[in-house]
Amino acid sequence: MTNAILVLFGSFAVMMALGVPIAFAIGIAAAATFLLFMGFDQSMFIVAQQMASGLDSFTLLAIPFFILAGNIMNRGGIAARLIDLAKVLAGRLPGSLAHVNIIANMLFGSISGSAVASAAAVGGVMAPVQKREGYDPAFSTAVNVASCPTGLLIPPSTTLIVYSLITGGTSIGALFLAGYLPGILMGLSLMVVAGIIAKRRGYPVSERPTFVQVRSAVMRAILPLGLIVIIMGGIIGGVFTATEASAIAVVYALFLALVWYREIGIRDLPGILIESAVTTTIVLLMIGCSIAMSRVMAFGDIPSTISGFMLGLSDNPYFIMLAIVAVLLVIGTFMDMTPALLIFTPIFMPVVQNIGIDPVHFGIIMTINLCIGICTPPVGSALFVGCSISGVSIAKVLRPLIPFYLVLVALVMVVTFVPEISLFLPRLILGYGG
């Protein structure tokens, strides 16, 4: 048992240190561990079989469809319309453009389902505007980077779909609803920090919008926001599944970008499809390899071994959850969200089940923890994209990011130890009793 743990995580750590792509590192580590129990041919066969059978899932079809819908929205001029809406919502607050950035990321991220796409689309529009208004570019970049992951909590979220698959069918509808309040609290917390800093620095307040401007902004944004209403209304109402909702999202996004707004043409579609296919391939390869790793962990009884070790440290559930949160915060700094979710969910799930943590609540805990990781060095994808869009070096952005990191960690603690924040909406709307 100890040998299996050493081989699995040791070989994975070595390959990560050598710069092996993470999907291949996961798959090779799983194959190497299987060699402890059986011959080479059988090990390779089981790894391949697990990858193929694990990807043979109707639920997984939602991932490429949501990725495609997000890319269409990203290229279809949706970000500018949502930014205009954010301006009328936050225009009179201190440091109004910082608040506009945060709200726009919440809105666009919830539609695209991608923190990186949100950082690029919203940051690309907001960075030059904030610079002209006298905002420190490092502060503006920090605001954009810290707020772009909010859309990973506010549905539709491919991250929560992956979590549902790993945990053997945790309700996607319940997970989607559970993400709303934490996602909104995340945005509001960042707005408080940004407002305090903006007030101290004397950043300007925008002019009060006229009724005509408010009406125009709302009308311009109402169709993009309608996507959320259609998806969540259909899932909650039982009209269609999350997978069917993802296909509807593609059709709706195509209609808006291609027919209604005409921001893209037929000639743009091959590029969007190729970009979506590449992203989907990367995600599904990681999922397939991670399923093989989960199989070898189950074969070697690794999750229950780690669970027994952690439960043996203390019988206090608060201490155990603090330990899990600390591990997830560290993991998030050097591993992207999807592989971290795929690897560590099967490890921690037996632990949290033993101490009575609801699986929907734990899905939100894992997601919000790992959201912080994509904003931090050394491998934070949102951090790199946000800095490249604004043209500010990572070294200059890290210091302005510190207050946002602190409030995000505080929010993680609140969400972890106040389960009603996550479970209130699923219980109220779905009668969830998990």
Side-chain angles (χ1 to χ4, degrees):
M1 202 70 62
T2 303
N3 289 340
I5 294 174
L6 291 175
V7 171
L8 182 65
F9 293 110
S11 58
F12 177 72
V14 169
M15 283 183 285
M16 287 289 291
L18 293 174
V20 176
I22 191 163
F24 296 112
I26 293 170
I28 294 170
T33 309
F34 267 123
L35 289 173
L36 294 176
F37 305 103
M38 58 195 70
F40 178 82
D41 291 344
Q42 194 174 5
S43 297
M44 298 303 105
F45 174 78
I46 290 179
V47 170
Q49 182 188 52
Q50 290 300 312
M51 290 177 64
S53 62
L55 293 176
D56 184 17
S57 168
F58 181 73
T59 302
L60 278 179
L61 282 175
I63 292 176
F65 281 128
F66 275 131
I67 289 173
L68 177 57
N71 285 334
I72 294 169
M73 288 284 193
N74 192 22
R75 298 274 288 273
I78 305 302
R81 290 169 171 81
L82 295 178
I83 287 171
D84 289 342
L85 176 61
K87 285 179 181 177
V88 303
L89 294 176
R92 298 297 296 167
L93 297 173
S96 55
L97 291 181
H99 299 299
V100 169
N101 197 325
I102 295 170
I103 294 173
N105 270 330
M106 292 171 69
L107 296 173
F108 186 78
S110 65
I111 291 174
S112 69
S114 168
V116 171
S118 186
V122 176
V125 176
M126 293 301 302
V129 176
Q130 289 171 308
K131 189 174 183 179
R132 285 198 302 268
E133 292 290 331
Y135 285 71
D136 175 17
F139 169 74
S140 300
T141 305
V143 170
N144 186 42
V145 169
S147 60
C148 68
T150 51
L152 299 177
L153 284 165
I154 302 174
S157 169
T158 55
T159 302
L160 295 176
I161 293 172
V162 172
Y163 175 83
S164 172
L165 177 75
I166 303 167
T167 54
T170 302
S171 169
I172 294 178
L175 285 167
F176 277 7
L177 285 171
Y180 272 112
L181 291 182
I184 293 171
L185 284 175
M186 185 176 178
L188 292 176
S189 302
L190 295 172
M191 288 177 68
V192 169
V193 175
I196 292 172
I197 295 173
K199 185 75 173 177
R200 289 178 177 175
R201 296 184 181 183
Y203 288 144
V205 177
S206 299
E207 295 181 0
R208 185 184 299 276
T210 65
F211 174 76
V212 174
Q213 290 173 322
V214 173
R215 184 182 62 185
S216 174
V218 171
M219 294 305 296
R220 280 166 53 83
I222 196 166
L223 286 178
L225 293 176
L227 177 64
I228 302 174
V229 176
I230 291 171
I231 290 175
M232 291 307 299
I235 293 174
I236 294 170
V239 179
F240 40 71
T241 65
T243 305
E244 293 162 345
S246 66
I248 292 170
V250 172
V251 175
Y252 190 83
L254 272 174
F255 170 76
L256 289 184
L258 194 63
V259 179
W260 191 262
Y261 296 136
R262 297 183 181 179
E263 295 280 351
I264 63 173
I266 297 296
R267 293 181 179 180
D268 298 312
L269 292 182
I272 295 173
L273 290 170
I274 290 171
E275 181 185 356
S276 302
V278 170
T279 304
T280 299
T281 302
I282 294 169
V283 173
L284 293 183
L285 180 60
M286 285 193 294
I287 291 174
C289 292
S290 298
I291 288 171
M293 178 179 274
S294 299
R295 173 62 177 167
V296 75
M297 286 194 294
F299 193 83
D301 207 26
I302 292 174
S304 62
T305 300
I306 296 175
S307 173
F309 172 75
M310 294 190 70
L311 294 172
L313 293 175
S314 172
D315 58 359
N316 187 325
Y318 295 103
F319 174 83
I320 294 172
M321 287 307 301
L322 276 175
I324 291 175
V325 166
V327 171
L328 289 173
L329 287 173
V330 173
I331 288 166
T333 62
F334 65 85
M335 187 179 293
D336 201 23
M337 175 174 281
T338 301
L341 198 70
L342 289 163
I343 293 170
F344 290 95
T345 298
I347 292 174
F348 289 138
M349 186 54 69
V351 180
V352 299
Q353 286 176 334
N354 269 287
I355 59 176
I357 302 297
D358 185 272
V360 169
H361 179 212
F362 186 61
I364 302 302
I365 292 172
M366 290 204 71
T367 303
I368 197 170
N369 268 276
L370 297 173
C371 278
I372 300 175
I374 64 176
C375 303
T376 59
V379 296
S381 54
L383 176 63
F384 289 115
V385 170
C387 290
S388 66
I389 291 295
S390 65
V392 180
S393 69
I394 292 175
K396 291 183 179 179
V397 173
L398 288 180
R399 186 171 180 180
L401 269 171
I402 291 175
F404 296 105
Y405 287 150
L406 294 176
V407 77
L408 288 176
V409 172
L411 180 64
V412 165
M413 295 301 173
V414 173
V415 171
T416 299
F417 295 110
V418 186
E420 275 303 312
I421 294 176
S422 302
L423 299 178
F424 174 73
L425 288 180
R427 287 173 176 169
L428 177 67
I429 298 174
L430 295 181
Y432 176 76

